[in-house]
Amino acid sequence: MQDLLWLVPGLPLLGFLVLSLAGGRLSRPAMAAVGTGSVGASAMVATLVALGFHEPFRQVLWEWMRVGEFAPTIGFRLDALSLVMILVITWVGFLIHAYSCAFMAGDAGYRRFFAIMNLFVAAMLTLVLADNLLFLYLGWEGVGLCSYLLIGFWYQDPANGRAARKAFIVTRVGDTAFAIGLFFLIAQVGTLDIEEAMTRAGSISAATAAALLLGGAVGKSAQIPLQVWLPDAMAGPTPVSALIHAATMVTAGVYLIARTQALFALAPVVQTMVAVIGAATLLLGGIGALAQRDIKRVLAYSTMSQIGLMFLALGLGAWPAAIFHFMTHAFFKALLFLAAGSVTLSLHHEHDIFRMGGLWKSLPISFATFLIGAASLSGMPFVTAGFFSKESILGSAWERGVGWWSVALVGVLLTSLYIFRVVFIVFFGEAKTSVAPRRDVLLTLPMVALAILALVGGWIPIPVGVFEPHVGVASVVSMAGIVIAWSLRAPLAFPGVDFDGLYERAFVRPFLRLANAVGRDPADAVSFGPAWAAATAHRLASATQTGSLRWYAAGIVFGGVVLLAVVLWW
Amino acid sequence: MSATFYVAGAVAIASTAMVISRRDAVHALLYLVVSFLSLATVFLTLGAPFIAALEVILYAGAIVVLFVFVVTMLNPGSQETQWRRPRAWIGPSILTLVLAGELVVVMARGEAPQTGGAVTTPREAGLALFGPYLLGVEAASMLLLAGLVGAFHLGRKT
Amino acid sequence: MISTTHGLILAAVLFALGLTGLLARRDVIFVLMSIEIMMNAAGLAFVVAGARWGRPDGQVMFLFILATAAAEVSVGLALILALFRRARTLDVDAANRMRG
């Protein structure tokens, strides 16, 4: 069973190859079958591998390259952490793919969509299974590329292309830090093999390496200060948002920090920085979500905030709790996105929550699933998965100090506040738009499956640790948030921090000015000078060609005068 | 003799100035005839009676008649009133004054001998024309033929 | 007994006057008249020079100029007719485009 591990990322990659190379000959149902089936089969294989999992192991396929001592492999390593990751990625990914079959039906880019989605899943699986950091970086960049392609999926609208470029460039800032971190590790440790690097890390300045890796994680996971791309990434189709937010992409940073936990443990300063970034993003995301009108943007800020919670847990050293929350978050956030997608699909792609209302009657399944997702996100006690993971994070925060715990508590309050506000605005009150419900079993089944997972996912025994649920203050706070949310149904507007404008002024414009200055290279004058002289001479010469006879005659006379003068007085 | 030259020269200059400054083309043509006739007088004083006769017959006769034909055909009226601005005279006048000044300086610099006063008869001129200048005469006839054909072609009403 | 210099100066002044008319006037008939004046002045210079040496060559040159002037004025006036027929104007500045 364990030998089948390479098939887990291999099958989606195969699906991508089939769809992109031979997909033109397939019918649309066949495209959907290949796209969804490859991820489904991958999920099956991952489950088989998980059933036979006893202890961490490696599977090396071949040696990638050999440059002196440095010999990265194409190899996979499975331990408790990556096992949880691949199970969540494949199963949630599979459900999202199945949902997409119906959601994207009728779109001209059907084949392109499934091909890139498959590549996305394959890249993410490579990322979490890689046994060395270079191979991990391959998956890391693959995820970045696919997110660019999918956010700009409807590329005919320039705004979408801009959002895609923004996501790519902003995450690139983090990726560059990550790449420098890799160079640093090679120079210091001499290997990129994760296990070896972690054991040898004690001898080097771990703080630098950890800080550089943190830069990469911050970019990919949309944490402060590189969080600006995530709300704009909503330009992509809703299943893409679900995939980016639940299973792939943004969780890569969480995984990276959890994976290199040993390195961070050696650098307490950096680890505290992780917690600070996480706490700041948790609060900022929660406040940002309150001010949004677009249902998908609310969810985007929610993801930012929840990843911030995971970072907080990571920074406090409670990485099993972070991974646990990653799993439950994948369930309920995918569910929320799919439910929101089914709502917008039934409302002719209306995204503004204040134009919705009273939908609980006309869209009962969307309502029920969204409600379950919201409840799980706010951590309703016992009946939801979010309760268990949140409590475990709060528990570890309590152990580390009451300050961290109260920050997390405010985050919990904000979470239930903004999400139930959306629930109340969208599904209650008076109906404002005509509803054309889309009933499709492929839309409904993944939502129901995810709803079940969002309810009972907390009971799934995961190998990273055992969590004892207990009803605490958080549950009470979260209930209070729901009550406050009922009174906050009007649109909110408060001055937020304009990160986009800030970055525009601080980085983008100076960079453009610099580029302009360098572009007008003074050294070019040598080559531009003759061109300028020729152009000017031409302009002067053609200015004499007025077509006016009298000017020509005057020119002749002037020439005669000058010639005579020269003859006379030279 | 020389008094006649100066008087005729003065008349030529004055009438030429009138030619270029008249508004009406017919008035200008009449002054042009005066200018040509006074120049013919100048030619007589220079001892060139044959040229004086040609000046009267060809310039004051044929060419002016051609001008009169065109003016009567087109009857252009006085379109130039609206075009004519005093300013338009400034540039050309300065330019030509400088040129004239330079020419005068050139003339004045050379020695100033008197003309012989000997009359060159039409016979002498004709002998020179059909002797050493025969080729030139043939070329001039070709030129006139070309002018004839060209004028005929351009003047056709098509 | 006339000073050659004075004859030549008369020719120069007449030439300059014709040139002024050529540059200053916009009516194409006047332009053509100015050209006649200038050619005439050039001819005068030849005749003066011929008289200086008592030779017929200057007069022969005047005859050639006369032929040129005749040919020129006939073609020029035909051109004026063509211009007027096409542009309904005698303004030289109106004919400042080569095309057509």
Side-chain angles (χ1 to χ4, degrees):
Chain A
M1 285 304 157
Q2 312 283 342
D3 298 339
L4 294 177
L5 182 61
W6 64 276
L7 280 174
V8 174
L11 283 168
L13 187 66
L14 184 69
F16 161 71
L17 289 175
V18 168
L19 282 171
S20 56
L21 297 179
R25 302 202 191 111
L26 299 175
S27 63
R28 288 171 81 90
M31 290 175 199
V34 171
T36 313
S38 64
V39 182
S42 171
M44 294 292 187
V45 174
T47 312
L48 283 177
V49 170
L51 289 177
F53 177 77
H54 298 296
E55 56 193 9
F57 69 97
R58 284 176 72 164
Q59 182 183 31
V60 176
L61 295 184
W62 63 81
E63 190 175 75
W64 191 353
M65 60 180 105
R66 175 173 284 279
V67 184
E69 291 290 300
F70 177 58
T73 58
I74 300 286
F76 304 111
R77 183 173 188 281
L78 190 73
D79 59 6
L81 172 60
S82 43
L83 183 65
V84 175
M85 296 294 291
I86 61 167
L87 284 172
V88 171
I89 292 165
T90 51
W91 280 110
V92 173
F94 167 67
L95 292 173
I96 293 170
H97 273 75
Y99 177 88
S100 308
C101 297
F103 189 88
M104 298 301 286
D107 195 284
Y110 207 55
R111 177 164 72 100
R112 184 162 56 95
F113 180 81
F114 277 110
I116 305 172
M117 289 281 272
N118 275 0
L119 185 63
F120 205 170
V121 171
M124 190 66 192
L125 288 168
T126 307
L127 197 164
V128 297
L129 282 173
D131 72 339
N132 65 77
L133 284 169
L134 191 67
F135 196 31
L136 188 152
Y137 192 69
L138 178 75
W140 187 270
E141 292 296 352
V143 167
L145 169 70
C146 292
S147 69
Y148 167 75
L149 292 172
L150 286 170
I151 292 167
F153 182 73
W154 288 314
Y155 58 86
Q156 286 91 345
D157 184 353
N160 293 344
R162 216 160 28 239
R165 280 202 303 281
K166 187 173 173 186
F168 195 69
I169 292 167
V170 173
T171 53
R172 181 112 326 243
V173 175
D175 294 352
T176 309
F178 187 20
I180 296 170
L182 293 189
F183 301 149
F184 183 78
L185 274 175
I186 291 175
Q188 295 283 322
V189 192
T191 179
L192 283 181
D193 186 276
I194 295 171
E195 271 188 297
E196 270 189 63
M198 289 307 113
T199 50
R200 285 194 224 163
S203 58
I204 58 157
S205 69
T208 314
L212 287 167
L213 294 189
L214 173 62
V218 161
K220 263 302 183 265
S221 291
Q223 298 297 294
I224 288 175
L226 295 178
Q227 85 287 17
V228 288
W229 65 269
L230 194 60
D232 287 313
M234 293 298 107
T238 305
V240 173
S241 309
L243 197 61
I244 287 180
H245 288 244
T248 59
M249 188 81 179
V250 293
T251 53
V254 178
Y255 169 78
L256 181 69
I257 295 179
R259 173 55 81 204
T260 55
Q261 189 61 36
L263 200 61
F264 281 86
L266 290 170
V269 180
V270 181
Q271 192 151 29
T272 314
M273 210 152 79
V274 175
V276 170
I277 288 173
T281 316
L282 168 66
L283 299 182
L284 185 104
I287 294 166
L290 275 175
Q292 301 302 315
R293 298 178 67 95
D294 184 325
I295 186 165
K296 282 179 73 183
R297 287 178 81 94
V298 173
L299 295 178
Y301 277 98
S302 161
T303 301
M304 226 153 88
S305 164
Q306 293 301 304
I307 303 276
L309 190 63
M310 293 176 213
F311 266 59
L312 179 62
L314 289 169
L316 298 178
W319 70 267
I323 293 303
F324 188 28
H325 191 58
F326 151 74
M327 184 179 83
T328 59
H329 175 258
F331 296 151
F332 60 70
K333 190 48 65 66
L335 173 63
L336 284 170
F337 266 111
L338 298 192
S342 75
V343 168
T344 57
L345 208 55
S346 304
L347 292 179
H348 315 289
H349 292 281
E350 176 61 65
H351 279 201
D352 190 342
I353 52 173
F354 292 107
R355 301 221 194 135
M356 306 172 181
L359 294 176
W360 67 274
K361 208 181 283 175
S362 45
L363 298 170
I365 296 174
S366 299
F367 168 59
T369 50
F370 196 91
L371 188 67
I372 290 169
S376 193
L377 173 60
S378 357
M380 290 297 106
F382 296 119
V383 291
T384 62
F387 164 68
F388 296 97
S389 55
K390 251 186 199 175
E391 279 301 333
S392 59
I393 291 179
L394 279 161
S396 37
W398 178 256
E399 286 162 22
R400 293 294 300 266
V402 90
W404 296 118
W405 179 78
S406 32
V407 169
L409 208 58
V410 175
V412 168
L413 175 69
L414 283 170
T415 306
S416 63
L417 197 58
Y418 65 70
I419 197 66
F420 272 95
R421 183 166 164 268
V422 170
V423 170
F424 293 145
I425 291 168
V426 171
F427 293 102
F428 293 96
E430 65 202 57
K432 289 173 192 157
T433 38
S434 66
V435 184
R438 273 279 297 273
R439 292 213 171 71
D440 194 320
V441 72
L442 274 174
L443 288 178
T444 318
L445 268 185
M447 279 154 61
V448 171
L450 281 168
I452 294 166
L453 283 171
L455 288 177
V456 305
W459 301 102
I460 295 175
I462 66 166
V464 289
V466 180
F467 304 100
E468 291 295 326
H470 50 87
V471 183
V473 188
S475 308
V476 181
V477 165
S478 159
M479 303 271 204
I482 298 174
V483 176
I484 302 170
W486 179 255
S487 58
L488 278 180
R489 279 166 298 157
L492 289 177
F494 43 82
V497 183
D498 180 15
F499 276 95
D500 280 338
L502 190 71
Y503 290 171
E504 174 83 22
R505 277 190 296 278
F507 299 113
V508 177
R509 281 190 213 152
F511 176 74
L512 287 178
R513 268 201 293 277
L514 183 69
N516 273 333
V518 176
R520 275 190 242 105
D521 197 342
D524 287 347
V526 177
S527 52
F528 288 153
W532 176 86
T536 309
H538 159 255
R539 211 165 35 247
L540 288 176
S542 66
T544 65
Q545 302 293 312
T546 55
S548 168
L549 182 71
R550 296 185 305 142
W551 277 107
Y552 295 168
I556 294 170
V557 175
F558 187 75
V561 167
V562 171
L563 265 180
L564 260 177
V566 167
V567 169
L568 279 175
W569 288 293
W570 198 255
Chain B
M1 249 341 219
S2 83
T4 322
F5 170 84
Y6 289 115
V7 171
V11 171
I13 289 172
S15 58
T16 306
M18 295 303 269
V19 171
I20 60 169
S21 59
R22 286 311 85 188
R23 199 181 66 188
D24 195 329
V26 178
H27 294 175
L29 275 175
L30 290 176
Y31 279 113
L32 189 60
V33 172
V34 175
S35 167
F36 286 153
L37 291 177
S38 57
L39 261 182
T41 317
V42 169
F43 287 141
L44 272 179
T45 62
L46 288 171
F50 177 50
I51 296 302
L54 285 178
E55 175 87 12
V56 173
I57 295 166
L58 278 174
Y59 268 113
I63 288 177
V64 169
V65 166
L66 273 179
F67 271 104
V68 171
F69 276 161
V70 170
V71 169
T72 48
M73 269 177 79
L74 301 182
N75 189 21
S78 55
Q79 268 178 308
E80 195 160 338
T81 25
Q82 70 237 26
W83 306 337
R84 203 161 60 162
R85 295 183 314 273
R87 246 165 34 130
W89 289 86
I90 299 173
S93 303
I94 293 173
L95 208 54
T96 49
L97 270 176
V98 172
L99 183 67
E102 283 179 348
L103 287 174
V104 169
V105 169
V106 170
M107 309 304 172
R109 266 194 189 175
E111 65 208 294
Q114 304 294 302
T115 51
V119 174
T120 306
T121 59
R123 179 189 155 77
E124 286 175 71
L127 281 175
L129 211 50
F130 290 96
Y133 289 104
L134 188 57
L135 204 60
V137 172
E138 291 302 326
S141 70
M142 294 295 283
L143 177 69
L144 284 170
L145 182 63
L148 179 70
V149 173
F152 176 73
H153 174 75
L154 288 168
R156 268 186 316 168
K157 280 206 166 123
T158 44
Chain C
M1 302 314 109
I2 297 141
S3 159
T4 313
T5 308
H6 293 169
L8 287 175
I9 286 175
L10 176 63
V13 169
L14 288 177
F15 185 86
L17 277 172
L19 197 55
T20 312
L22 171 71
L23 293 180
R25 299 303 296 256
R26 286 173 70 177
D27 191 327
V28 70
I29 289 178
F30 281 86
V31 170
L32 216 49
M33 279 191 227
S34 303
I35 292 173
E36 291 307 315
I37 293 168
M38 286 159 70
M39 293 185 104
N40 210 0
L44 174 62
F46 272 113
V47 173
V48 170
R52 156 76 179 80
W53 302 106
R55 300 271 304 164
D57 303 69
Q59 298 189 18
V60 171
M61 282 303 149
F62 184 87
L63 276 167
F64 288 149
I65 289 175
L66 190 61
T68 314
E72 178 260 323
V73 83
S74 59
V75 174
L77 287 169
L79 278 171
I80 290 176
L81 287 178
L83 171 73
F84 189 76
R85 235 181 269 139
R86 190 183 295 275
R88 310 308 303 174
T89 180
L90 290 176
D91 184 1
V92 274
D93 288 358
N96 60 358
R97 276 180 296 278
M98 260 191 191
R99 192 161 36 80

